[in-house]
Amino acid sequence: MKLAMIGFGQAGGKIVDKFVGYDAEQGSNIVRAAVAVNTAKADLMGLENIPESQRVLIGQSRVKGHGVGADNELGAEIAEEDMDEVQGAIDSIPVHEVDAFLVIAGLGGGTGSGGAPVISKHLKRIYTEPVYGMGILPGSDEGGIYTLNAARSFQTFVREVDNLLVFDNDAWRKTGESVQGGYDQINDEIVKRFGILFGAGEVEQGGEVAESVVDSSEIINTLAGGGVSTVGYAREEVENTGGGNGGLLSRLTGGEEEDELDTAHTTNRITSLVRKAALGRLTLPCEIEGSERALLVMAGPPKYLNRKGIERGRKWLEEQTGSMEVRGGDYPVRGANFVAGVILLSGVNNVPRIKELQQVAIEAQDNIEDIRDESEENLEELVNDDDDELESLF
């Protein structure tokens, strides 16, 4: 699938930058074009893979390149005001070669959470290609203002895109981990999962052709209908050379040669990976029952991927989700040392984290208003004690 990626704000820019690096390393050709947009000059300068010509600094007349300080209303205003500058970078994208736009942003800050819904609305008005969003939720320990930003941005963003793919930092940060180390690991997880998902179906000249092809239309149809999506992932290392090292190869074959893989073992391993991917740690934890649509992609060396295992995994997903729209296929990666299952669940609705986020945000909003009122009263008391004796300058 060929994507035009737009990273809005610090988190969005970093993730798109990492996608571009992954694309070059894997030769997957997912990122047809990449743009980073920010109000903070330092964040744009810290990117490594996005060309400088595709880094857009907005809001210079308002914030002088210093960012919006977690004020997402200001972030949205600046995005509206400077849309022509952003459009200038988008104009260089060969849209006829693109299957979809993907707008990526952290939802807790100011620039991304405010600007991502604005650019998404703008893109949908102009282009016929689908516009997807990827929103990163802040951890619950990051503070009330970030939670409030995320809740407001989420409910706006999800209405302005054709589908919102969500990654919840709360489910992925490890206890005691440094902030930078945590975010680097989270960004790696995001790129790994979505890299396999969007890379499926892309075949190089002379490359492996899947038995059951997953191409961009399968992904687009799974994401059709809007709503919120989450992605599951599970992988297991494989031995590319023979031998009984106890790796996946020896378990699949029972010690046989590589070219005589036991079909039953291969099938069982695939169905096991499908279950792990669906019931393990999703990018947005939720109950998978009731998902409207799903897509299964199995990636790895061709000899480890069989149609029977994928079909069995797909049927299991149908039973678990209750959806009749479950697609599946394989993504052969010659020379890979792993077999991986990626599951896209679209139109999920039983998401406790979103309900909790909205409740905490409402409480935070009430607290902020109370504090503001109290602050005004305190200031009145402080400056007006001697009101009768002092005259104001004007």
Side-chain angles (χ1 to χ4, degrees), residues 246-258:
L248 178 57
L249 173 65
S250 58
R251 292 199 295 281
L252 285 169
T253 64
E256 295 172 8
E257 291 299 317
E258 282 187 59

Side-chain angles (χ1 to χ4, degrees), residues 4 11 23 33 35 37 54 68 126 151 175 182 185 194 208 224 239 246 260 303 314 325-326 332 343 362 391:
D23 214 29
V35 176
V37 185
Q54 295 298 92
V68 297
I126 293 177
T175 307
Q185 193 239 347
F194 289 98
E208 292 290 339
E239 302 278 345
E260 297 175 3
K303 60 175 154 283
R314 193 188 63 74
E325 277 195 74
V326 180
I343 292 172
I362 290 166
E391 293 181 10

Side-chain angles (χ1 to χ4, degrees), residues 187-207:
N187 291 350
D188 286 338
E189 294 291 348
I190 291 170
V191 171
K192 184 164 58 180
R193 280 162 173 68
F194 289 98
I196 289 176
L197 175 66
F198 292 125
E202 293 298 329
V203 181
E204 295 277 313
Q205 189 71 31

